[in-house]
Amino acid sequence: MKTGYVELARAQQERWQAAYEQHPSLHGAGASAAARWTAKLFGAAGIDDVLELGAGQGRDAFYLARQGFSVHATDFSESALHRLRLDAQREGLDDRVTAALHDVRDPLPPADATVGAVYANVLLNMAFSRTELRTLVNEIRRVLRPGGLFVYTVWSTDDSRFGKCAEIGDGLYAKDGFAGRFFDLDLVHELADRWELGGADPYEENGRRLWRVTQAKPAPLISS
Ligand SMILES: C[S@@+](CC[C@H](N)C(=O)[O-])C[C@H]1O[C@@H](n2cnc3c(N)ncnc32)[C@H](O)[C@@H]1O
């Protein structure tokens, strides 16, 4: 399955590239429900910098920037990031939104404990093995400052499409060339190992059932 995953990753990157080349506004211009909720959480926690993973064409990055956060947006699709950079300039948000090409299977670029918050909307349910998912959340914990927050959303096993698309192995499903995984609560809890799990909240958006998960990097106990 190892070689299979490399091939799958390459095919997924090409699939996303093609989708973004065909659709200049693939996910629409409005912020996701998760981004609107997350901005309030991060604001209340006094966070000012956000690393967004799988940012696509940047609809949520722009929303977070307009709420006052500085956002570093990454994705493995250059065509999505090209659109994001053009729109950031046009909207006058390029001082608050930076972008870089990055595949989350690779180590995250920031140094240890330098990031206030990480946000990933509908990224972790893409075509990752469970080992890749565990490695990614470990990387996220590494780059976060102690007490830093991680909010992610994923497709839920309660979604009506679960079990209806073609299964391609290791719990991954595929449709129209896109592959992904539906999350149950066990997987959410597994990925929260060595984190403080703040919440796993079910919600619906565009007829899809998802989880919104909030977890914090534990801050070390200060002994007096
Ligand atoms: C469902 S879209 C969500 C985009 C964006 N978060 C939004 O809500 O508008 C998933 C995104 O994950 C990106 N992606 C998938 N696999 C990735 C990987 N291995 N590394 C980085 N980005 C990836 C895709 O290019 C796509 O932009």
Side-chain angles (χ1 to χ4, degrees):
M1 196 74 191
K2 259 194 179 146
T3 332
Y5 265 108
V6 173
E7 282 160 15
L8 180 62
R10 198 169 300 130
Q12 289 303 291
Q13 191 170 19
E14 284 167 10
R15 185 69 189 88
W16 278 105
Q17 274 283 106
Y20 283 126
E21 275 160 21
Q22 281 161 20
H23 303 280
S25 185
L26 186 63
H27 307 294
S32 69
R36 291 193 293 272
W37 183 88
T38 300
K40 289 187 193 132
L41 176 77
F42 288 174
I47 285 159
D48 48 34
D49 63 299
V50 179
L51 170 63
E52 183 179 0
L53 306 175
Q57 292 162 323
R59 61 184 178 137
D60 286 350
F62 298 147
Y63 178 79
L64 292 171
R66 285 193 194 97
Q67 308 310 306
F69 301 96
S70 67
V71 184
H72 186 58
T74 70
D75 201 282
F76 74 170
S77 165
E78 185 53 60
S79 44
L81 294 181
H82 178 65
R83 167 60 49 188
L84 185 155
R85 290 190 189 99
L86 288 178
D87 287 348
Q89 264 185 352
R90 206 194 51 217
E91 302 276 324
L93 289 171
D94 44 338
D95 58 334
R96 291 251 181 95
V97 181
T98 55
L101 189 69
H102 179 258
D103 186 325
V104 294
R105 291 177 180 84
D106 297 328
L108 295 178
D112 296 1
T114 54
V115 174
V118 176
Y119 170 72
N121 190 49
V122 198
L123 168 73
L124 269 67
N125 54 256
M126 296 285 114
F128 303 115
S129 69
R130 290 174 84 105
T131 304
E132 285 170 335
L133 284 173
R134 280 193 295 272
T135 304
L136 173 58
V137 293
N138 284 341
E139 268 297 286
I140 293 168
R141 202 181 58 240
R142 177 186 67 75
V143 302
L144 279 174
R145 289 194 279 273
L149 297 176
F150 174 36
V151 174
Y152 71 90
T153 69
V154 282
W155 299 334
S156 162
T157 48
D158 286 337
D159 190 86
S160 60
R161 295 166 308 154
F162 177 54
K164 298 212 177 105
C165 328
E167 192 169 359
I168 58 170
D170 189 33
L172 290 171
Y173 292 82
K175 190 160 189 257
D176 301 330
F178 292 107
R181 178 185 301 282
F182 294 83
F183 276 49
D184 58 18
L185 264 185
D186 285 347
L187 182 51
V188 169
H189 283 281
E190 184 185 325
L191 297 180
D193 185 36
R194 298 172 62 211
W195 292 77
E196 284 163 11
L197 182 60
D201 302 306
Y203 72 105
E204 275 193 45
E205 189 171 31
N206 301 327
R208 292 181 171 177
R209 290 193 172 188
L210 303 107
W211 293 109
R212 185 189 64 220
V213 182
T214 310
Q215 49 195 56
K217 173 173 176 167
L221 293 174
I222 299 166
S223 55
S224 51

